[in-house]
DNA sequence: TTGTAGGCGTTATCAT
DNA sequence: ATGATAACGCCTACAA
């Protein structure tokens, strides 16, 4: 059943040229006479020839694979982001290989083994590799791009959302709406993004807290998803100690919280309590939530990550680039713009 | 900056053995004396040696990459399914390469180009390749697994959800609940799954329709997502011609529909109108929707797809396998089990 | 512009 | 059990 695959030598024979001419015909930067190239393409078409990437990789010491390191793909924002990354990688003539590191303590071992693939780069969206492992790649000439992982690293390029700005925008909007008993909520398990968003929120408000014009509380939910938010909401209602404005570091948590409120019917949104989320996942637009949120663009994040990777491939020795992607506040039902006027 | 990568020859030199011994040491099926293997591993560790997959692929004529063909990854069910597939592939010692074919009319060209990668297999979850292209792979010894694409194909292995059973279960439940004016809704753009689910629903009910004991209507929404469902709901309410039980071929459409109902407050769920979805995406469990639905297990689907692929790799010449994965009805708020007693 | 020839790092075959 | 050697298919000097 196994048909021997057709090689450039086969094409060469049929086209009546040398094997190297065939090879060159498929390299757009090689100068080949028009006639020859035509002949070669015709022969290649006839035989159904496709370049063997493995052989190509051996010579060039680089495959066209990009490692996409993530912990799961089903989380709402994550799936949107990975979707954008896959498209962006594909549009750059590269191929995404997905590596799931949900088992986060094995990340270094898993990354090490990626050396086998002569990757064109690694984009890390979950987990943080040790400096040593990151260096292994960079020394080999394999770009490493960290997305929302840290502020600076000795060697890797970095793309971060403007997380602090996100927190600050939420804080501002709640202030303008006249809310005075504020709260910021993130998952107990700290992520870089959540910590930064929280910090942005707190920093923006700290002068007012000092003045005593507002009260401010930092709170945590058990898990960074819908159910964590729902649980958090139920607990808060039970405590009978309510804020009048809350910023959630992730939309999905905010949605869970809103559902908890809805069920108890104790507090009206946004009059009694305003809610702001972060990310603008598609669920935030659902009528049941209609969540005011700080939007980030997965497309912009993906484009920034891939372009950082490409730049590094072209100029391996320039110093690491650190980039911040902008955010914007989107008003919906859980804090309307008119509230803030 | 580019450090020359360490090869098995380097390891051999350090370990004081031949290069082939190093190669064999990393092949568990090769018999090597314990002492030698220890030496080799020690040397490999010291140098940070990793097998070069490109070279390996050249010889074996097969990489450990599995092509995962999909149209987008952000749709709720799709992201859960791909998540399971990625994990399953990884746990089988393979690597997932994602190919986005949102641009569905280019699928044949895109698939052809995958020949370049000497894949261990291709799992197609979106789009349907032409017979000719599928054959190209299979002739090469590259397994092709179609997931929810068709009933039979000349050569490829097939994994389908038991889509008809899904429709039938929904129909039964609505009948038992005493609903008599039934409707089934799917996206205007037909997908294999939706068509089969609809068929299962209609077939189950057709005897009763003939008897005249129930009325049954087939309807379509513009898009196969939340917004399609919301739009559909608004239109239905405007028409003032209401069914008392509806089966949606996808959960996300059902959620949009429920939100439209909620907004108008005309019909109570499930008393005036019962709603059943399909897939059991995580949103179906959200309190705002609490959707009764026909559950499918992405894990089971993924396991079936990958195991079909593995079997085919081991036994290339057995005839195509076709497999159906079971479904189960999950009662929640939009049609409670007590309704059906 | 085109052809010739060497080598990329591995596995597999054949000796030993 | 281990070592030597020949592929695998391509790219890239170098030569013509």
């Amino acid at each position: 059943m196994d048909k021997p695959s057709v090689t450039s030598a086969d094409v060469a024979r049929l086209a009546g040229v040398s094997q190297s001419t065939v090879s060159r015909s498929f390299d757009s930067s090689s100068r080949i006479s028009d006639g020859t190239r035509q002949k070669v393409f015709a022969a290649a078409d006839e035989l159904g020839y496709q370049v063997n990437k493995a052989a190509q990789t051996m010579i060039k010491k680089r495959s066209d694979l990009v490692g996409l390191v993530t912990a799961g793909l089903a989380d709402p924002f994550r799936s949107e982001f990975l979707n954008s990354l896959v498209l962006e990688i594909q549009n750059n003539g590269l191929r995404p290989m997905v590596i799931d590191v949900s088992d986060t303590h094995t990340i270094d071992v898993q990354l090490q083994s990626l050396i086998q693939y002569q990757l064109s780069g690694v984009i890390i969206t979950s987990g943080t590799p040790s400096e040593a492992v990151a260096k292994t790649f960079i020394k080999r000439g394999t770009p490493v791009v960290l997305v929302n992982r840290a502020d600076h690293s000795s060697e890797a390029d970095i793309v971060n959302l403007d997380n602090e700005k996100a927190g600050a925008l939420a804080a501002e909007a709640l202030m303008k709406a006249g809310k005075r008993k504020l709260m910021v909520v993130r998952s107990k398990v700290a992520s870089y993004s959540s910590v930064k968003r929280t910090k942005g929120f707190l920093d923006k408000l700290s002068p007012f807290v000092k003045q005593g014009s507002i009260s401010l509380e930092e709170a945590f939910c058990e898990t960074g998803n819908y159910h964590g938010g729902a649980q958090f909401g139920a607990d808060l209602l039970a405590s009978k100690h309510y804020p009048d404005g809350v910023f959630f570091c992730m939309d999905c948590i905010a949605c869970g919280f809103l559902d908890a409120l809805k069920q108890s019917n104790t507090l009206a949104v946004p009059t009694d309590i305003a809610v702001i989320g972060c990310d603008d996942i598609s669920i935030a637009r659902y009528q049941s939530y209609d969540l005011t949120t700080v939007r980030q663009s997965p497309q912009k994040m993906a484009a920034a990550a891939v372009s950082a990777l490409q730049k590094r491939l072209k100029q391996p020795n320039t110093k690491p680039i650190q980039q911040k992607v902008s955010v914007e506040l989107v008003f919906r039902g859980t804090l309307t713009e008119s509230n803030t006027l």
Side-chain angles (χ1 to χ4, degrees), chain A:
Chain A
M1 187 63 81
D2 273 34
K3 213 170 53 178
S5 55
V6 17
T7 74
S8 55
D10 299 330
V11 177
R13 212 168 304 125
L14 180 60
V17 299
S18 75
Q19 184 274 328
S20 39
T21 299
V22 174
S23 176
R24 277 189 281 253
S25 300
F26 285 92
D27 174 16
S28 50
S29 71
S30 251
R31 255 161 256 313
I32 288 275
S33 86
D34 267 14
T36 312
R37 192 168 251 149
Q38 301 265 325
K39 268 194 303 186
V40 170
F41 283 175
D45 265 11
E46 191 176 331
L47 299 175
Y49 169 73
Q50 297 281 150
V51 175
N52 182 324
K53 290 280 186 188
Q56 203 172 58
T57 299
M58 287 223 39
I59 291 286
K60 300 203 165 176
K61 295 177 170 312
R62 173 164 290 152
S63 70
D64 58 2
L65 259 32
V66 173
L68 226 43
V69 178
T70 179
L73 3 165
D75 169 81
F77 178 72
R78 188 159 290 279
S79 74
E80 294 180 23
F81 180 42
L82 287 175
N83 193 32
S84 297
L85 270 173
V86 164
L87 283 174
E88 189 70 20
I89 288 171
Q90 218 167 254
N91 292 337
N92 275 261
L94 300 168
R95 295 288 185 179
M97 182 172 102
V98 177
I99 297 97
D100 188 302
V101 291
S102 299
D103 201 354
T104 62
H105 63 276
T106 70
I107 184 169
D108 274 348
V109 178
Q110 292 218 48
L111 282 182
Q112 277 291 5
S113 76
L114 297 185
I115 296 276
Q116 303 179 325
Y117 296 92
Q118 325 287 103
L119 302 177
S120 273
V122 186
I123 298 177
I124 297 180
T125 72
S126 288
T128 303
S130 68
E131 276 299 323
V133 173
K135 239 177 214 162
T136 311
F137 281 90
I138 292 163
K139 281 253 171 72
R140 282 192 78 263
T142 304
V144 175
V145 179
L146 303 177
V147 180
N148 277 328
R149 310 316 314 148
D151 277 320
H152 44 250
S153 144
S154 42
E155 313 263 6
D157 294 304
I158 294 193
V159 174
N160 282 335
L161 188 72
D162 196 342
N163 286 300
E164 297 198 35
K165 178 70 178 257
L169 284 176
E172 250 171 42
L174 289 169
M175 284 288 294
K176 273 200 195 150
K179 303 297 184 178
R180 292 296 174 261
K181 295 170 61 182
L182 303 186
M183 183 179 265
V184 51
V185 183
R186 65 169 174 82
S187 168
K188 217 165 226 170
V189 180
S191 75
Y192 172 81
S193 297
S194 291
V195 169
K196 284 297 177 183
R197 289 167 190 184
T198 300
K199 178 171 164 28
F201 189 82
L202 296 176
D203 285 357
K204 186 77 184 183
L205 294 172
S206 78
F208 304 99
V209 175
K210 277 179 195 143
Q211 280 173 28
S213 59
I214 69 157
S215 78
L216 178 50
E217 201 174 336
E218 197 177 346
F220 306 90
C221 55
E222 290 298 321
T223 58
N225 56 25
Y226 172 89
H227 302 288
Q231 184 61 53
F232 179 84
D235 293 348
L236 188 79
L237 286 167
S239 79
K240 304 206 165 154
H241 170 72
Y242 314 135
D244 59 7
V246 196
F247 172 53
F248 289 91
C249 289
M250 292 168 68
D251 282 346
C252 51
I253 302 177
C255 290
F257 180 77
L258 287 172
D259 271 350
L261 290 191
K262 215 176 292 175
Q263 203 167 41
S264 96
N265 218 13
T266 318
L267 298 172
V269 177
T271 42
D272 296 334
I273 184 169
V275 175
I276 301 187
C278 198
D279 287 339
D280 198 21
I281 60 179
S282 56
I283 298 168
R285 263 167 302 226
Y286 286 12
Q287 290 171 30
S288 278
Y289 302 109
D290 194 29
L291 180 67
T292 295
T293 189
V294 182
R295 170 186 295 163
Q296 67 166 305
S297 158
Q299 291 86 351
K300 271 202 274 181
M301 289 292 286
V306 176
S307 97
L309 194 152
Q310 295 275 42
K311 265 187 204 143
R312 177 72 38 206
L313 278 175
K314 273 163 205 154
Q315 315 202 335
N317 296 319
T318 52
K319 67 176 184 196
I321 305 170
Q322 193 157 332
Q323 199 173 158
K324 251 185 196 150
V325 175
S326 63
V327 293
E328 104 195 79
L329 188 63
V330 181
F331 285 101
R332 296 208 184 90
T334 61
L335 174 62
T336 62
E337 187 151 23
S338 59
N339 287 147
T340 71
L341 297 181

